[in-house]
Amino acid sequence: MQKKEPAVRKGALIWRFLQGSKGLFVVSMLLAALTALTDMITPQIIRAAVDNAIGGNEPTFGPAVMKLVNALGGFEYLGKNLWIMALAVLLVAVVKVVSQYGFMLSNTRASETLTKTMRDTLYTHIERLPFSWHMKNHTGDIIQRCTSDIETTRNFVAGQMTSLFRIGILVVLSMVFMFSMNTTLTLIALIPMPVIVWYSIHFHNKIGEGFKECDESEGRLSAMAQENLTGVRVVRAFGRERYEKDRFEKHNEEYTSLWVRLGKVMSRFWASSDVLSGLQIMLVVVFGAVFCLQKNMTSGEYIAFISYNSLLVWPIRQLGRMISEMSKAGVAVDRIGYIIHSETEKDKENAVCPDMTGDIAFEHVNFAYEGCPQMLHDIHFTMKAGTTLGILGGTGSGKSTMMLLLDRLYDLPADCGKITIGGVDIADMKLEHLRKNIGIVLQEPFLFSRTLQENLSIANESLTLSDIREAARAACLDETIEGFTKGYDTFVGERGVTLSGGQKQRAAIARMLTQHTPIMIFDDSLSAVDAETDAKIRKALEKRFGSASIILISHRITTLSKADQVIVLDKGRIAEMGTPDELEKAGGLYQKIYEIQSLTKEEVDA
Ligand SMILES: Nc1ncnc2c1ncn2[C@@H]1O[C@H](COP(=O)(O)OP(=O)(O)O)[C@@H](O)[C@H]1O
Ligand SMILES: [Mg+2]
């Protein structure tokens, strides 16, 4: 499921997310550079003060600095008035504080803007991804990609990237100052650097892999928690709390131990890199002291050199962390890229919006779910416009799949037959147009945690309450809703009433009816209501159907008996087709079910 993205693509993705925050990041980089520069100046002031006041000799600087020194009264004057030097240190510190403050402000602003852009982009993209994509991917995992992976990417751009820039400037400036003071000592200071850098890179792969494992384990853990919370009823009803708790603990344990293992690797790295940098500092201190004794270096230069060296060692040591954070960010960007680079639902170039009141035809349709054996075999039939088609078949025979194909929640691959409405292939239609004209009540209705009124009007927000009530009446739900103390303002779901299966189904029917579509599909939509209510709803519905084409999927023969045509589906194949009257006597599956369902109690007992 997770492919590694090439670095260029990762960069392009981050560049795209930087829309709107680039300017702010540039400002914070400039301020970071200014802060780095102030770090460079203080050791020079101290060097001048030490050499001048203690050593009694005049340090040499570039012409610009000498001009400034002369304007202030020359070294001799400055040596007698050390407070000027102290003031200069203070002044530099103030500039540093102000630029650091500005950096924090602009960087926070930039990173929050970046996070917002990432969240918006991802959410918009996910909304447009096909149904099949959503069926393939765990909700918990998607949520993790939209939260903690975004967080990691943000930290990378706003933290590591700006730090890297700052480190770059620090390193370059430190080297310039160090070389200007003593070439030999600078070269000595640089000798251990390649080892430190090589060492960091050596750990790069190890740490990256560890982070990936941790991330994946976290995804599994949150997917599990999410599924458990959603299925809390099943867990309780089956007394599976203990089992689920144990399962969670097992995963949690695995997750924890992965982090601990990663922690061990990281500690080893930090400890050994501590030793390496200690050695480097030792080299500079020892050789610097020797050069001072040989009069090749002044005390002021020695002190300044050690300051620059520590400024240099710090970023080099940070390199290890940078690299590990970068590999972590690389994984996070990969995971976000997986979503962003998943193909969204798209219309064909010349997609059409034809009249949808024509005949519906399945022409030799074959279909298999991805990675599964063939499910539908040569489904071929025509349903006249304005008629009612009944579909009967055992569970798993492919009834719902046919409807998902008709609504293009799954696209029919090429060479797998076609589905037409009014002679036009649905693959050539605009998706929005197609779905707007097909009202579908799915087998497992889903209601949002919103009020009933909001739930019933999702198809069209401008519906009036009387429109909604009219639809609810047809679905035999109006009375039930009126029975709730808050009526149509009743909250559904976690924060409100929990509707029964039958009530949910009726709410889903009412929601569909508000659309007034020329094609209506009821996928086993009355299975959870009793036979009497079923009959009542059907009667109320018939009045509203008018010229619409209706597809009724049901297990109840009585539900299908009014259909103009019935298809009996068996293991993905059409086993029988005809009017209910014909099928009652055809001697097939329909007749068998018809006979079982029309037996009286006495007959069953007998
Ligand atoms: N998203 C899916 N991926 C793989 N197989 C699926 C998917 N959805 C359904 N199936 C399988 O396809 C078959 C037909 O399912 P379905 O059309 O829902 O049957 P019915 O509605 O007739 O009960 C079943 O065997 C089911 O397990
Ligand atoms: Mg089904």
Side-chain angles (χ1 to χ4, degrees), residues 135 369 372 375 393-402 410 443 523:
M135 297 308 284
Y369 284 105
C372 298
M375 170 67 252
T395 45
S397 56
K399 307 180 297 290
S400 297
T401 306
M402 278 171 62
Y410 281 95
Q443 194 168 7
D523 189 352

Side-chain angles (χ1 to χ4, degrees), residues 207-264:
I207 291 168
E209 266 165 34
F211 273 119
K212 193 167 171 192
E213 273 177 324
C214 288
D215 242 15
E216 277 166 5
S217 173
E218 187 187 352
R220 279 196 296 276
L221 197 67
S222 49
M224 195 162 128
Q226 198 259 348
E227 200 177 74
N228 251 296
L229 291 176
T230 320
V232 65
R233 271 208 221 184
V234 181
V235 174
R236 292 292 146 86
F238 283 83
R240 297 291 271 178
E241 295 93 332
R242 212 195 148 85
Y243 171 79
E244 292 295 339
K245 184 193 85 131
D246 289 347
R247 218 161 73 99
F248 183 84
E249 278 178 1
K250 205 176 122 231
H251 276 264
N252 201 8
E253 176 92 34
E254 175 201 291
Y255 179 52
T256 311
S257 61
L258 280 175
W259 271 112
V260 171
R261 212 169 70 200
L262 188 61
K264 272 189 200 154

Side-chain angles (χ1 to χ4, degrees), residues 24-265:
L24 279 163
F25 274 118
V26 169
V27 170
S28 54
M29 298 269 191
L30 289 176
L31 288 168
L34 183 60
T35 313
L37 193 66
T38 56
D39 276 337
M40 293 296 128
I41 294 174
T42 317
Q44 289 302 326
I45 300 175
I46 294 170
R47 169 192 162 202
V50 169
D51 279 353
N52 195 20
I54 303 171
N57 47 28
E58 295 208 347
T60 43
F61 284 103
V65 181
M66 291 312 283
K67 227 174 171 174
L68 182 71
V69 170
N70 289 332
L72 287 169
F75 275 119
E76 210 185 315
Y77 177 76
L78 287 177
K80 291 195 182 102
N81 295 281
L82 271 180
W83 63 270
I84 300 179
M85 298 280 207
L87 207 65
V89 172
L90 184 68
L91 198 72
V92 171
V94 169
V95 173
K96 181 179 171 170
V97 166
V98 171
S99 63
Q100 224 162 16
Y101 175 74
F103 165 78
M104 296 265 268
L105 275 190
S106 53
N107 202 45
T108 310
R109 216 206 169 110
S111 64
E112 289 312 321
T113 310
L114 169 72
T115 318
K116 183 175 180 301
T117 312
M118 280 197 281
R119 264 192 239 120
D120 283 346
T121 315
L122 265 182
Y123 194 78
T124 313
H125 192 81
I126 288 172
E127 283 288 311
R128 284 163 47 220
L129 285 171
F131 179 71
S132 53
W133 187 89
H134 284 278
M135 297 308 284
K136 250 186 353 216
N137 292 283
H138 280 294
T139 316
D141 186 56
I142 301 173
I143 290 173
Q144 199 211 353
R145 286 168 201 251
C146 294
T147 49
S148 65
D149 287 329
I150 283 189
E151 187 72 21
T152 311
T153 310
R154 188 262 302 264
N155 289 345
F156 167 68
V157 177
Q160 284 95 54
M161 291 257 276
T162 42
S163 301
L164 214 59
F165 175 75
R166 198 169 145 169
I167 288 172
I169 290 185
L170 268 178
V171 169
V172 170
L173 289 179
S174 307
M175 303 253 278
V176 167
F177 281 100
M178 285 161 86
F179 269 117
S180 76
M181 292 189 298
N182 195 316
T183 314
T184 323
L185 193 56
T186 310
L187 290 175
I188 290 171
L190 286 180
I191 287 170
M193 296 302 188
V195 181
I196 299 181
V197 172
W198 170 84
Y199 198 58
S200 307
I201 289 165
H202 166 68
F203 268 83
H204 171 239
N205 294 328
K206 245 187 194 176
I207 291 168
E209 266 165 34
F211 273 119
K212 193 167 171 192
E213 273 177 324
C214 288
D215 242 15
E216 277 166 5
S217 173
E218 187 187 352
R220 279 196 296 276
L221 197 67
S222 49
M224 195 162 128
Q226 198 259 348
E227 200 177 74
N228 251 296
L229 291 176
T230 320
V232 65
R233 271 208 221 184
V234 181
V235 174
R236 292 292 146 86
F238 283 83
R240 297 291 271 178
E241 295 93 332
R242 212 195 148 85
Y243 171 79
E244 292 295 339
K245 184 193 85 131
D246 289 347
R247 218 161 73 99
F248 183 84
E249 278 178 1
K250 205 176 122 231
H251 276 264
N252 201 8
E253 176 92 34
E254 175 201 291
Y255 179 52
T256 311
S257 61
L258 280 175
W259 271 112
V260 171
R261 212 169 70 200
L262 188 61
K264 272 189 200 154
V265 177

Side-chain angles (χ1 to χ4, degrees), residues 424-466:
V424 182
D425 191 339
I426 59 167
D428 298 330
M429 294 182 189
K430 275 212 163 93
L431 252 184
E432 197 187 339
H433 177 75
L434 174 77
R435 295 197 184 141
K436 233 188 182 148
N437 282 284
I438 299 180
I440 184 163
V441 184
L442 293 169
Q443 194 168 7
E444 287 143 11
F446 175 84
L447 298 178
F448 292 95
S449 297
R450 298 175 195 168
T451 65
L452 272 165
Q453 179 166 357
E454 283 171 301
N455 261 297
L456 296 191
S457 59
I458 56 163
N460 181 355
E461 280 143 31
S462 58
L463 288 175
T464 63
L465 185 59
S466 72

Side-chain angles (χ1 to χ4, degrees), residues 267-510:
S267 325
R268 269 209 304 277
F269 169 69
W270 279 115
S272 41
S273 91
D274 260 355
V275 174
L276 278 176
S277 57
L279 281 173
Q280 194 268 355
I281 292 172
M282 189 192 79
L283 277 180
V284 173
V285 170
V286 170
F287 279 94
V290 170
F291 290 157
C292 272
L293 290 174
Q294 291 174 342
K295 302 273 182 233
N296 282 333
M297 207 179 186
T298 66
S299 319
E301 280 172 341
Y302 181 49
I303 291 172
F305 204 96
I306 287 177
S307 302
Y308 289 125
N309 187 57
S310 63
L311 282 174
L312 188 69
V313 169
W314 171 76
I316 298 286
R317 293 202 47 205
Q318 290 282 308
L319 214 60
R321 208 190 91 197
M322 293 290 137
I323 286 171
S324 74
E325 298 280 334
M326 261 158 117
S327 58
K328 200 170 150 188
V331 175
V333 176
D334 266 346
R335 288 168 53 82
I336 292 173
Y338 168 76
I339 295 182
I340 290 288
H341 296 134
S342 293
E343 193 87 35
T344 52
E345 289 186 323
K346 270 196 201 79
D347 288 322
K348 276 190 184 164
E349 230 163 75
N350 301 315
V352 287
C353 299
D355 174 48
M356 298 291 276
T357 53
D359 298 351
I360 299 172
F362 275 60
E363 297 180 16
H364 302 288
V365 169
N366 293 295
F367 182 72
Y369 284 105
E370 209 182 301
C372 298
Q374 191 171 342
M375 170 67 252
L376 292 178
H377 304 265
D378 198 29
I379 303 293
H380 189 82
F381 68 89
T382 303
M383 170 191 175
K384 285 259 162 265
T387 62
T388 299
L389 171 76
I391 303 180
L392 182 80
T395 45
S397 56
K399 307 180 297 290
S400 297
T401 306
M402 278 171 62
M403 297 307 108
L404 297 181
L405 287 174
L406 178 58
D407 206 29
R408 270 182 62 195
L409 287 168
Y410 281 95
D411 269 318
L412 209 51
D415 305 327
C416 286
K418 63 178 180 177
I419 302 172
T420 59
I421 297 175
V424 182
D425 191 339
I426 59 167
D428 298 330
M429 294 182 189
K430 275 212 163 93
L431 252 184
E432 197 187 339
H433 177 75
L434 174 77
R435 295 197 184 141
K436 233 188 182 148
N437 282 284
I438 299 180
I440 184 163
V441 184
L442 293 169
Q443 194 168 7
E444 287 143 11
F446 175 84
L447 298 178
F448 292 95
S449 297
R450 298 175 195 168
T451 65
L452 272 165
Q453 179 166 357
E454 283 171 301
N455 261 297
L456 296 191
S457 59
I458 56 163
N460 181 355
E461 280 143 31
S462 58
L463 288 175
T464 63
L465 185 59
S466 72
D467 295 331
I468 295 171
R469 288 195 62 171
E470 202 234 334
R473 220 169 287 133
C476 295
L477 188 66
D478 189 46
E479 272 179 43
T480 317
I481 296 180
E482 286 300 306
F484 294 143
T485 38
K486 284 193 181 161
Y488 280 82
D489 289 327
T490 305
F491 232 89
V492 183
E494 288 183 22
R495 287 196 289 142
V497 299
T498 308
L499 299 184
S500 74
Q503 285 168 340
K504 248 193 226 166
Q505 282 190 333
R506 280 180 279 159
I509 293 173

